[in-house]
């Protein structure tokens, strides 16, 4: 699911408009993607052949415990190919719905990956798929709920907004974070009230996702939050992930770049000064480059 992952919805939009640009830099919650990667590394060596979606579905229905969830993962991975989905959706869609319904009492990992697979169907998705995903918002497993929320955000179907808005009331920050992402990924303005409320969430990265989601919709209520996202000292106090020197990942820089791209999407000239300062002084070359690009957009 963008660097879930990880920019799942980015592949479904065009770069011509500011909202379309904004989707490319959502701070998509890493719960789903991180779980996928970590679990996958544990079993990938056991699955060396590239099989069809139909074969993976057979394993999900009839395989043993150690085969069903790896098959569900492989199916969700296979369905990241939009051409395959377009070609096979007519048969895949109903089969996925049946498999998802049958997974209620199965290993939760099977259900999580099947939700991701349903989310990769080409919109408009079958009504039965929408129905089973909405039903799964009450799943007892929080990671399944998070995967389901992501899938509903990928449907491009505004009718799912009321169900998603209710999920923002969750005590689970990961659920709230993904809910904000999903509402921002959907078209229309129905979810904007919830996004504005999320700007005051107790968890900083829920606030950040809300500000970016609003920017995607061309709304400026999140500009004060975006301004904070450009402050390295503030972000460092809020980001718990540690930098990984082996692959040069800077979690603080990632947040700042996301904020910069949202500023560029809004063409928010009121933030020109902090953007210019980052372009000159930030310690991360990628942040400096993003700031330079943002300056072009806001000038």
């Amino acid at each position: 699911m963008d660097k879930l992952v990880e920019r799942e919805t980015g592949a479904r939009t065009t770069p011509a408009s500011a909202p379309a640009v904004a989707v490319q830099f959502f701070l998509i919650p890493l719960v789903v993607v991180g779980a996928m990667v970590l679990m996958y590394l544990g079993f990938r060596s056991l699955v060396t052949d590239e099989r069809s979606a139909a074969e993976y579905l057979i394993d999900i229905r009839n395989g043993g415990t150690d085969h069903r969830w790896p098959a569900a993962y492989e199916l969700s991975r296979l369905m990241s190919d939009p051409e395959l989905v377009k070609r096979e959706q007519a048969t895949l869609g109903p089969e996925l719905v049946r498999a998802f319904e049958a997974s209620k009492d199965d290993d939760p990992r099977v259900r999580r990956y099947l939700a991701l697979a349903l989310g990769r169907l080409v919109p408009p998705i079958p009504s039965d798929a929408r129905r089973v995903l909405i039903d799964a918002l009450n799943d007892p497993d929080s990671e399944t709920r998070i995967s389901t929320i992501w899938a509903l955000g990928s449907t491009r179907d505004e009718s799912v907004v009321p169900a998603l808005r209710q999920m923002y009331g969750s005590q689970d920050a990961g659920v709230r974070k993904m809910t904000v992402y999903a509402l921002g990924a959907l078209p229309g303005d129905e979810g904007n009230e919830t996004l504005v409320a999320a700007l005051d969430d107790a968890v900083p990265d829920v606030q950040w996702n809300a500000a970016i989601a609003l920017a995607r919709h061309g709304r400026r209520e999140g500009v004060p939050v975006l301004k904070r996202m450009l402050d390295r000292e503030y972000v460092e106090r809020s980001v718990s992930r540690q930098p990984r020197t082996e692959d040069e990942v800077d979690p603080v820089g990632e947040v700042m770049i996301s904020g910069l791209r949202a500023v560029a999407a809004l063409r928010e000239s009121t933030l020109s000064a902090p953007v210019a300062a980052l372009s000159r002084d930030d310690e991360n070359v990628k942040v400096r480059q993003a700031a330079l690009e943002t300056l072009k957009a806001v000038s």
Side-chain angles (χ1 to χ4, degrees):
M1 264 190 163
D2 223 320
K3 301 193 186 174
L4 246 148
V5 126
E6 315 338 276
R7 314 290 187 202
E8 295 290 350
T9 55
R12 295 181 182 175
T13 58
T14 62
S17 64
V21 173
V23 72
Q24 300 172 16
F25 54 84
F26 267 106
L27 293 170
I28 301 176
L30 298 178
V31 177
V32 175
V33 178
M36 287 173 59
V37 172
L38 290 174
M39 292 177 182
Y40 175 65
L41 291 176
F43 73 82
R44 184 66 181 98
S45 60
L46 301 177
V47 186
T48 57
D49 58 322
E50 188 69 30
R51 292 179 292 165
S52 69
E55 289 172 317
Y56 287 129
L57 279 166
I58 291 172
D59 268 0
I60 292 166
R61 286 194 298 265
N62 303 321
T65 303
D66 293 336
H67 287 84
R68 290 197 302 276
W69 74 263
Y73 171 83
E74 288 291 345
L75 177 60
S76 71
R77 182 189 62 82
L78 191 66
M79 291 185 64
S80 64
D81 177 0
E83 293 303 317
L84 178 143
V85 175
K86 288 178 184 177
R87 188 171 62 248
E88 300 189 23
Q89 178 155 317
T91 54
L92 267 180
E95 290 296 324
L96 277 171
V97 169
R98 283 192 283 271
F100 188 71
E101 286 190 299
S103 70
K104 287 181 180 178
D105 298 319
D106 204 343
D107 184 331
R109 292 171 294 185
V110 175
R111 198 156 170 79
R112 295 169 200 164
Y113 294 128
L114 285 175
L116 296 180
L118 283 167
R120 290 189 166 113
L121 293 174
V122 177
I125 69 170
S127 59
D128 282 351
R130 182 173 60 248
R131 173 183 57 79
V132 297
L133 286 170
I134 290 175
D135 289 346
L137 292 174
N138 296 315
D139 196 280
D141 178 66
S142 64
E143 290 188 34
T144 298
R145 295 198 299 275
I146 289 169
S147 296
T148 299
I149 293 166
W150 175 86
L152 287 168
S154 300
T155 63
R156 308 293 298 165
D157 185 346
E158 293 179 68
S159 72
V160 307
V161 170
L164 288 176
R165 290 178 64 178
Q166 293 183 16
M167 300 305 294
Y168 182 69
S170 172
Q171 296 299 308
D172 187 318
V175 169
R176 296 200 307 277
K177 190 169 15 175
M178 187 59 85
T179 297
V180 166
Y181 163 74
L183 289 172
L186 289 166
D189 298 329
E190 191 177 350
N192 285 344
E193 182 180 347
T194 301
L195 295 177
V196 172
L199 294 172
D200 295 319
D201 195 276
V203 178
D205 52 355
V206 177
Q207 298 176 21
W208 302 339
N209 275 278
I212 293 170
L214 286 165
R216 185 187 179 192
H217 288 178
R219 301 281 294 259
R220 288 179 159 75
E221 290 94 334
V223 168
V225 174
L226 295 177
K227 183 178 181 179
R228 294 198 295 270
M229 292 172 69
L230 307 186
D231 182 342
R232 179 171 282 276
E233 290 186 2
Y234 158 76
V235 177
E236 284 175 343
R237 293 194 298 270
S238 304
V239 171
S240 58
R241 286 185 297 150
Q242 297 298 312
R244 301 198 303 270
T245 54
E246 66 274 13
D247 54 6
E248 300 181 349
V249 170
D250 173 15
V252 172
E254 290 176 348
V255 173
M256 297 172 71
I257 290 169
S258 296
L260 285 163
R261 290 176 177 166
V263 170
L266 287 174
R267 301 186 182 277
E268 188 58 48
S269 59
T270 63
L271 297 182
S272 295
V275 171
L278 288 178
S279 72
R280 296 188 306 268
D281 305 327
D282 194 77
E283 63 191 52
N284 185 320
V285 65
K286 293 180 180 179
V287 171
R288 295 198 302 272
Q289 181 60 40
L292 287 170
E293 294 171 358
T294 300
L295 278 178
K296 296 175 184 177
V298 302
S299 58

